[in-house]
């Protein structure tokens, strides 16, 4: 097959798959309640169906100056490529959180606050300015207005941590200052039982060798949501023994404040010194009320539960970065940073049969704090012609403190403490070698070591040490006879280390304990998961209009796979993580970006973009069918279109993520529902300073229907929820001076 024909086939496949995905979404929008199985039969489950100059952009260290820099495209030109999403794309839909931005990016899916690459939850590395954020930090508290770009790295490189089995997403806060400017964006989101005002202001200026920018963002959101659930059970013969219905209502409010500032100094000899600070505060207030009605079988211990949850989080990050230009085109970049995080949460749960008869009154107060000191550095120097070599380090010390106060009805008060100290050290080296104008090789190696010491109430002190050596190789071959086609290959070694909380044997109790709502515990014997990855990518660039067609196939072989295991401990059900053997995942990702005029000669000025991902996986320790990696999305797709006409720019984005049943343990299954979302935006520029942006979010407003199924010798338990959608609109006024 000719290369051009292959590129055309990719475009056709993407178009066909978008239609197929929409059809599949309708067919799998909710799981059918399984019939009660016989004593020895397994339950019937559905079968699994603005980039910087190259000198400062990882992983290459080649200096690019003048007009060459303006033509530099990291995705196309770097041997170890990355996808760079610029600020204009980040702000296009006027999103309130970065999670709404990420869900539209190729190969990325978002479910709640979980960000996935290759459809995997927990294996995607999320970085802020190239470093891992503190344990209690969440990306949904970062406003898009603070972001300069987002980098997507499918296959690991040595400069970033190799805790990236699925890939890395690096969110880079605003850095560059091109000229003095003032920007303001303000407006509100609205919808049924939803209200969210917010605004941001950015000031930038330059004065000789000094430049600076300052951004402040504040927002409030409040909404009510409803969820219903059905829980059933049957004995080994299939005779129904339980039918229980739940009706839940949650009233929530969330306040967020971001403050970001950066000062740049240009010193003698072209050296630079930068001081960047980021402050984030957020406050959450949740009022979930649950009511249950049991028409068959015994009611739960607490048929009705009222919860009152209040929490707030503050995070401060300050970095000092120095870049020195040395002789022989060498450069040394070093950074030192401090992070402080504090989280307070108050939770009260009232369980009762009748309002006047309180059966459970649990009051809990938790305080978490984390302090960290980190340092990174990189020395880069061209060794000989065609070689761009670099070596560096990353080190950090952090301490996490947790105090948990608990009081229950007719029980004495308890105070539990938890302390953890974590030390990290990473050393790496890399070399990008251009063998010929059409063939280049990237070789890198990174060693990472982590030592964790935990102590606290109810368990003996625990010290664990892990280290991983990750060899990495990437190649780029520009196909002879073509200016537009190239092949990439990557062989990587990555890992996933268990968190300090996963290693600590501290029991968290569920108010109504059952196989579908168990207690949770830790496991100090956990080992890191290790993965060997292969990636092969074909890219076809449309020279006339800047379009792109690409196809990527990948495989990850995982050893020491960690999965939550459910077991009976005394009279309670407990879930805890454990290494259960080996697992594998493989998949294909297709992407296209092109003007509509490429397909239709007289078409209007519409830019199209589409992506399709199909992933498979298997876990050795769990029998099939459906023994795939937990919560993996088998199929995901995006489709977008942007139209420009004079002062008006408008567009839409459709995202689709398939679900289905996954067998998570010998006796347990979990159903993930199909997720469909459509966003629409319109931007009207009155002049070069003033603009109005209108956005409609989640226009399809489809229900979410997660479910769990458990079966053992005592019978079967099934629970299915229906979470109602939230349709939102948003209006923003934007001013630039």
């Amino acid at each position: 097959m000719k290369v051009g024909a292959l590129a055309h086939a990719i475009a056709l496949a993407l178009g066909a798959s978008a239609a197929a995905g929409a059809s599949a979404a309708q067919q799998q929008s909710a799981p059918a309640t399984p019939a009660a199985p016989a004593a020895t039969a397994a339950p019937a489950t559905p079968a699994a169906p603005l980039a910087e100059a190259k000198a400062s952009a990882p992983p290459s260290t080649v200096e690019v100056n003048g007009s060459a820099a303006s033509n530099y495209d990291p995705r196309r030109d770097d041997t170890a490529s990355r996808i760079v999403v610029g600020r204009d794309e980040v702000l296009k839909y006027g999103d309130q959180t970065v999670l709404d931005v990420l869900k539209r990016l190729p190969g990325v899916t978002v479910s709640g606050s979980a960000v996935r690459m290759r459809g995997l939850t927990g294996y995607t590395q999320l970085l802020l300015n190239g470093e891992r954020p503190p344990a209690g930090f969440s990306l949904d508290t970062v406003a898009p207005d603070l972001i300069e770009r987002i980098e997507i790295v499918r296959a690991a490189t040595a400069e970033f941590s190799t805790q990236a089995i699925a890939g890395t997403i690096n969110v880079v806060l605003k850095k560059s200052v091109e000229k003095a400017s003032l920007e303001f964006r303000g407006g509100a989101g609205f919808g049924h039982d939803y209200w969210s005002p917010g605004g941001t202001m950015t000031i930038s200026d330059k004065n000789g060798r000094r430049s600076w920018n300052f951004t402040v963002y504040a927002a409030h959101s409040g909404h009510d949501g409803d969820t219903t659930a059905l829980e059933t059970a049957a004995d080994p013969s299939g005779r129904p023994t339980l039918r229980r219905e739940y009706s839940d209502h949650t009233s929530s409010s969330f306040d967020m404040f971001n403050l970001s500032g950066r000062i740049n100094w240009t010193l003698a000899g072209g050296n630079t010194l930068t001081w960047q600070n980021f402050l984030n505060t957020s406050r959450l207030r949740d009022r979930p009320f649950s009511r249950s009605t049991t028409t068959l079988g015994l009611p739960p211990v607490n048929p009705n539960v009222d919860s009152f949850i209040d929490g707030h989080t503050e995070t401060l990050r300050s970095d000092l970065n120095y870049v020195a230009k040395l002789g022989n085109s060498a450069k040394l970049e070093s950074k030192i940073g401090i992070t402080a995080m504090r989280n307070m949460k108050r939770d009260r749960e009232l369980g009762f049969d009748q309002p006047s008869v309180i059966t459970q009154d649990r009051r809990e107060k938790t305080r978490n704090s984390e302090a960290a000191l980190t340092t990174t550095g990189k020395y880069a120097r061209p060794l000989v012609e065609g070689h761009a070599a670099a070596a560096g380090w990353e080190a950090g010390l952090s301490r996490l403190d947790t105090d948990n106060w608990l009081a229950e009805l007719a029980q004495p008060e308890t105070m539990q403490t938890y302390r953890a100290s974590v030390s990290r050290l990473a050393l790496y080296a890399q070399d990008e070698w251009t063998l010929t104008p059409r063939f280049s090789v990237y070789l890198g190696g990174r060693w990472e070591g982590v030592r964790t010491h935990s102590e606290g109430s109810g368990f003996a002190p625990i010290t664990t040490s892990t280290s991983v050596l990750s060899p990495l190789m990437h190649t780029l071959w520009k196909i002879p006879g073509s200016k537009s086609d190239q092949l990439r290959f990557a062989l990587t070694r990555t890992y996933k280390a268990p968190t300090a909380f996963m290693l600590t044997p501290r029991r968290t109790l569920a108010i109504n304990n059952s196989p579908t709502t168990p207690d949770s515990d830790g496991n100090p014997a956990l080992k890191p998961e290790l993965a060997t990855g292969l990636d092969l990518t074909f890219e076809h660039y449309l020279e006339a209009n800047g379009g792109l067609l690409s196809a990527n196939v990948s495989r990850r072989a995982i050893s020491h796979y960690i999965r939550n295991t459910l077991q009976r401990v005394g009279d309670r059900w407990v879930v805890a993580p454990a290494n259960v053997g080996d697992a594998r995942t493989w998949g294909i990702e297709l992407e296209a970006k092109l003007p509509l005029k490429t397909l239709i000669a007289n078409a209007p000025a519409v830019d199209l973009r589409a992506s399709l991902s199909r992933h498979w996986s298997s876990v050795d320790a769990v029998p099939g069918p459906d023994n795939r990696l937990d919560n993996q999305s088998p199929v995901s797709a995006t489709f977008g279109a942007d139209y420009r006409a004079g002062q008006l720019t408008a567009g839409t984005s459709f995202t689709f993520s398939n679900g289905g049943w996954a067998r998570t343990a010998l006796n347990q299954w979990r159903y993930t529902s199909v997720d469909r979302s459509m966003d629409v935006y319109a931007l009207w520029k009155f002049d070069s300073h003033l603009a109005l942006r209108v956005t409609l979010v989640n226009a399809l407003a489809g229900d979410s229907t997660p479910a769990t199924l458990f079966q053992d010798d005592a019978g079967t338990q099934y629970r299915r929820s229906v979470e109602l959608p939230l349709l939102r609109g948003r209006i923003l006024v934007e001013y630039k001076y």
Side-chain angles (χ1 to χ4, degrees):
M1 179 184 291
K2 293 183 179 180
V3 172
L6 177 60
H8 186 62
I10 293 173
L12 292 176
L14 282 167
S17 63
S23 175
Q26 295 177 354
Q27 295 173 5
Q28 302 186 37
S29 60
T33 303
T40 58
T45 56
L50 325 170
E52 295 183 55
K54 197 171 182 179
S56 61
S60 174
T61 56
V62 174
E63 293 284 349
V64 179
N65 299 297
S67 61
S70 62
N71 296 324
Y72 166 64
D73 180 356
R75 180 167 189 177
R76 182 172 185 173
D77 300 332
D78 281 355
T79 306
S81 73
R82 57 200 168 102
I83 301 172
V84 178
V85 180
R87 182 168 174 81
D88 290 344
E89 186 71 22
V90 169
L91 299 179
K92 181 182 292 183
Y93 282 81
D95 297 306
Q96 193 166 3
T97 73
V98 68
L99 295 180
D100 288 329
V101 179
L102 293 175
K103 72 180 183 182
R104 304 186 196 98
L105 303 185
V108 179
T109 58
V110 177
S111 177
S113 60
V115 181
R116 304 170 180 169
M117 294 178 64
R118 308 185 194 278
L120 295 172
T121 299
Y123 292 97
T124 301
Q125 176 174 236
L126 300 176
L127 303 178
L128 188 65
N129 285 341
E131 297 186 38
R132 300 176 70 87
F137 183 79
S138 177
L139 272 183
D140 60 1
T141 62
V142 178
D145 302 71
L146 276 64
I147 297 172
E148 180 172 297
R149 66 179 186 274
I150 298 174
E151 301 172 342
I152 302 174
V153 183
R154 284 197 182 115
T157 61
E159 190 156 358
F160 290 150
S161 172
T162 51
Q163 290 199 62
I165 293 178
T168 296
I169 298 175
N170 182 30
V171 177
V172 181
L173 300 181
K174 188 171 176 60
K175 291 182 177 182
S176 60
V177 179
E178 298 178 356
K179 60 181 180 180
S181 64
L182 170 65
E183 298 182 19
F184 171 79
R185 290 157 52 91
F190 53 89
H192 178 66
D193 292 328
Y194 173 80
W195 173 245
S196 179
T200 182
M201 182 177 66
T202 300
I203 303 174
S204 303
D205 202 357
K206 298 181 70 173
N207 182 9
R209 293 177 175 268
R210 185 178 71 251
S211 63
W212 56 275
N213 63 57
F214 175 86
T215 301
V216 59
Y217 174 85
H220 165 82
S221 64
H223 76 276
D224 291 352
D226 294 291
T227 302
T228 60
L230 173 66
E231 187 173 8
T232 60
D235 64 17
S237 67
R239 181 177 63 88
T241 59
L242 176 69
R243 181 179 178 85
R244 184 179 300 147
E245 297 179 358
Y246 293 87
S247 177
D248 300 344
H249 177 81
T250 300
S251 178
S252 298
S253 67
F254 184 72
D255 297 285
M256 181 170 64
F257 177 80
N258 288 176
L259 186 63
S260 176
R262 181 181 176 99
I263 304 175
N264 309 298
W265 292 274
T266 301
L267 309 177
N271 300 339
T272 60
L273 181 65
T274 302
W275 185 30
Q276 183 163 8
N277 297 277
F278 173 71
L279 173 66
N280 167 272
T281 67
S282 61
R283 295 183 180 274
L284 173 69
R285 179 183 178 273
D286 269 350
R287 299 293 183 263
F289 303 142
S290 178
R291 302 291 181 264
S292 68
T293 302
T294 303
T295 55
L296 178 63
L298 296 176
V301 176
N302 299 288
N304 306 302
V305 179
D306 288 354
S307 299
F308 306 85
I309 303 170
D310 294 278
H312 64 270
T313 302
E314 290 91 26
T315 303
L316 172 65
R317 175 75 187 180
S318 182
D319 295 317
L320 190 63
N321 187 82
Y322 178 69
V323 179
K325 293 188 176 182
L326 309 176
N328 299 318
S329 299
K331 183 174 69 172
L332 176 64
E333 181 176 354
S334 58
K335 181 170 67 174
I336 186 170
I338 58 172
T339 301
M341 184 276 296
R342 182 180 62 182
N343 171 269
M344 292 285 290
K345 180 183 177 184
R346 292 179 176 85
D347 188 351
R348 186 177 186 184
E349 291 180 318
L350 289 175
F352 54 91
D353 187 0
Q354 301 176 12
S356 59
V357 182
I358 302 297
T359 55
Q360 172 70 35
D361 186 357
R362 176 188 293 175
R363 290 169 293 160
E364 187 173 10
K365 182 167 64 175
T366 304
R367 181 190 65 85
N368 297 305
S369 63
E370 183 174 355
L373 174 66
T374 60
T375 177
T376 63
K378 181 178 71 172
Y379 174 78
R381 177 183 176 183
L383 298 177
V384 296
E385 185 177 357
H387 283 268
W393 76 87
E394 182 178 341
L397 295 171
S398 62
R399 179 179 174 88
L400 175 66
D401 294 275
T402 298
D403 296 319
N404 180 263
W405 174 84
L406 179 66
E408 296 189 78
L409 190 68
Q411 296 288 334
E413 296 182 3
T414 62
M415 172 65 80
Q416 290 188 328
T417 61
Y418 171 74
R419 306 286 182 265
S421 58
V422 181
S423 56
R424 305 175 184 271
L425 176 63
L427 304 172
Y428 71 89
Q430 61 187 25
D431 182 17
E432 186 171 352
W433 183 14
T434 304
L435 286 86
T436 73
R438 289 191 170 271
F439 185 69
S440 59
V441 176
Y442 168 93
L443 297 175
R446 184 181 179 100
W447 176 88
E448 294 190 28
V450 180
R451 181 182 183 273
T452 302
H453 177 78
S454 303
E455 58 185 34
S457 306
F459 66 96
I462 301 170
T463 300
T464 60
S465 297
T466 61
S467 63
V468 175
L469 178 62
S470 299
L472 308 162
M473 182 185 74
H474 299 253
T475 64
L476 171 61
W477 180 46
K478 299 182 178 181
I479 300 175
S482 172
K483 296 181 179 180
S484 306
D485 305 307
Q486 54 191 41
L487 282 173
R488 298 181 178 275
F489 174 75
L491 175 62
T492 57
R493 180 72 159 172
T494 53
Y495 77 105
K496 177 188 176 185
T499 65
F501 282 111
M502 295 172 65
L503 293 165
T504 304
R506 298 174 67 242
R507 181 79 65 88
T508 301
L509 303 179
I511 190 168
N512 284 315
N513 184 268
S514 73
T516 56
T517 56
D519 300 342
S520 61
D521 207 344
N523 179 4
L526 288 177
K527 300 177 182 179
E529 299 178 63
L530 305 176
T532 300
L534 297 172
D535 288 82
L536 180 64
T537 306
F538 166 77
E539 297 172 343
H540 173 75
Y541 291 88
L542 306 176
E543 299 290 344
N545 48 47
L548 165 72
L549 301 173
S550 76
N552 170 268
V553 292
S554 63
R555 185 179 189 273
R556 298 290 186 269
I558 304 173
S559 59
H560 304 151
Y561 172 61
I562 297 176
R563 164 155 272 169
N564 284 329
T565 59
L566 181 69
Q567 55 185 328
R568 187 89 172 184
V569 179
D571 61 346
R572 297 186 70 86
W573 290 97
V574 180
V575 64
N579 296 106
V580 298
D582 298 337
R584 288 153 302 282
T585 180
W586 57 98
I588 180 169
E589 298 183 359
L590 306 177
E591 182 186 358
K593 295 195 304 181
L594 67 164
L596 184 59
K597 292 181 181 292
T598 305
L599 304 176
I600 305 174
N602 297 322
V606 176
D607 292 330
L608 304 176
R609 62 189 184 280
S611 66
L612 171 69
S613 300
R614 177 67 171 97
H615 296 288
W616 300 264
S617 61
S618 64
V619 178
D620 290 347
V622 180
D626 304 317
N627 58 333
R628 51 191 173 91
L629 292 171
D630 197 8
N631 289 327
Q632 184 179 41
S633 174
V635 180
S636 62
T638 64
F639 176 80
D642 298 290
Y643 170 73
R644 296 176 181 83
Q647 301 294 95
L648 175 67
T649 303
T652 184
S653 176
F654 169 76
T655 63
F656 165 79
S657 179
N658 199 6
W661 286 98
R663 192 169 187 172
T664 59
L666 180 63
N667 300 319
Q668 192 169 24
W669 288 256
R670 179 180 288 113
Y671 178 86
T672 304
S673 62
V674 169
D675 184 11
R676 300 177 302 274
S677 177
M678 177 175 287
D679 301 341
V680 182
Y681 81 95
L683 173 66
W684 180 266
K685 293 185 177 181
F686 296 96
D687 52 37
S688 60
H689 302 295
L690 185 63
L692 176 68
R693 191 185 305 266
V694 180
T695 307
L696 186 63
V697 181
N698 197 20
L700 296 180
D703 294 345
S704 177
T705 56
T708 57
L709 178 67
F710 176 84
Q711 183 188 44
D712 61 6
D713 293 339
T716 302
Q717 285 189 259
Y718 173 78
R719 182 184 177 107
R720 172 179 176 263
S721 301
V722 178
E723 300 172 5
L724 301 181
L726 182 64
L727 175 65
R728 307 191 306 268
R730 189 163 178 81
I731 298 177
L732 287 173
V733 176
E734 304 177 0
Y735 176 80
K736 297 181 180 180
Y737 176 76

